[in-house]
């Protein structure tokens, strides 16, 4: 048995249900394992994750002919925080470019995280960008500005919850590759009716126009938002 780097492993955490899915390099779900439990409580979730892998891991790895080392977590629960933040910046006729937007987004995220207690930012969405009072597209050429307004939405989970999940997975030498919020995926998909796993894979692989994504590794082909989030990894 050897690690298959073409497979992506997803775990959907729902009330009373854990769904493990494998997506192959052809973007097809070819393996699914479900685990139901009745006593749902966020504090009990870690125990159920441990029970799931205790009961299923050996057989799943045998069926997949692969070691499961990294998973993408999709939180399909109600206990997440959604918050919006708007900030005005006086630019003094400074030229607005990618680097400057990066700095401003960094400042916004820092200010939010500073006062959000135990909340971890999972999704960061730019709702609106105003330059000199006029709304602009996110991909714009360099231009001078006296003032700039950024309106951003944050989707968050409690850091305690994330740490709890990490600890449970680490017992089986499994790490979290990404963590996503299901409600956000559905809202971003608009009229798409795809399985939540496909929506998650699309966001990770392609991204959304207005969403800032964390980048795990630096690449010469990075897009604007990927470059930005190297500051946080």
């Amino acid at each position: 048995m050897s690690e298959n780097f073409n497979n992506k492993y997803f775990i959907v955490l729902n009330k009373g249900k854990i769904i493990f899915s494998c997506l192959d390099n052809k973007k097809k779900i070819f393996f699914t394992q479900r685990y139901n439990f009745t006593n749902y409580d966020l504090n009990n979730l870690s125990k159920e994750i441990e029970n799931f892998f205790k009961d299923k891991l050996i057989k799943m790895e045998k069926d997949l002919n692969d070691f499961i080392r990294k998973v993408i977590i999709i939180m399909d629960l109600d206990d997440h925080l959604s918050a919006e933040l708007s900030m005005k910046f006086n630019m003094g006729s400074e030229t607005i470019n990618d680097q400057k937007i990066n700095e401003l987004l960094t400042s916004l995220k820092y200010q939010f995280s500073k006062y959000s207690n135990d909340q971890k930012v999972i999704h960061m969405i730019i709702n609106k960008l105003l330059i000199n009072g006029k709304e602009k597209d996110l991909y714009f050429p360099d231009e001078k500005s006296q003032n700039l307004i950024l309106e951003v939405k944050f989707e968050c989970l409690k850091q305690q919850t994330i740490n709890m999940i990490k600890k449970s997975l680490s017992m089986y030498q499994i790490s979290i590759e990404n963590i996503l919020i299901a409600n956000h995926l559905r809202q971003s998909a608009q009229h798409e009716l795809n399985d939540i796993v496909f929506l998650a894979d699309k966001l990770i692989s392609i991204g959304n126009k207005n969403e800032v994504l964390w980048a795990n590794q630096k690449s010469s082909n990075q897009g604007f938002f990927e470059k930005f989030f190297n500051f946080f990894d």
Side-chain angles (χ1 to χ4, degrees), residues 5-98:
F5 296 103
N6 292 321
N7 290 341
K8 291 182 181 179
Y9 299 117
F10 296 80
I11 296 177
V12 180
L13 298 178
N14 205 327
K15 287 185 177 180
K17 188 182 298 183
I18 297 173
I19 305 173
F20 176 93
S21 300
C22 178
L23 194 71
D24 64 17
N25 60 350
K26 296 180 180 179
K27 306 295 184 181
K28 293 183 179 180
I29 297 176
F30 73 93
F31 180 90
T32 300
Q33 181 71 61
R34 289 177 170 81
Y35 174 83
N36 297 315
F37 54 95
T38 56
N39 184 24
Y40 170 75
D41 180 87
L42 194 58
N43 296 324
N44 188 52
L45 185 58
S46 59
K47 180 180 177 182
E48 297 299 346
I49 293 172
E50 293 165 17
N51 289 340
F52 170 72
F53 281 105
K54 180 180 179 181
D55 293 343
K56 310 291 185 182
L57 182 60
I58 293 176
K59 186 177 187 306
M60 288 195 304
E61 290 186 334
K62 183 177 180 181
D63 291 343
L64 292 164
N65 192 31
D66 189 18
F67 294 111
I68 300 168
R69 291 292 176 257
K70 293 183 179 181
V71 295
I72 297 164
I73 301 292
I74 303 174
M75 298 291 288
D76 198 3
L77 302 168
D78 298 329
D79 54 334
H80 67 276
L81 172 69
S82 180
E84 296 185 357
L85 180 63
S86 177
M87 189 174 289
K88 182 176 181 179
F89 303 89
N90 293 318
M91 307 306 298
S93 298
E94 187 175 352
T95 299
I96 305 299
N97 52 31
D98 286 0

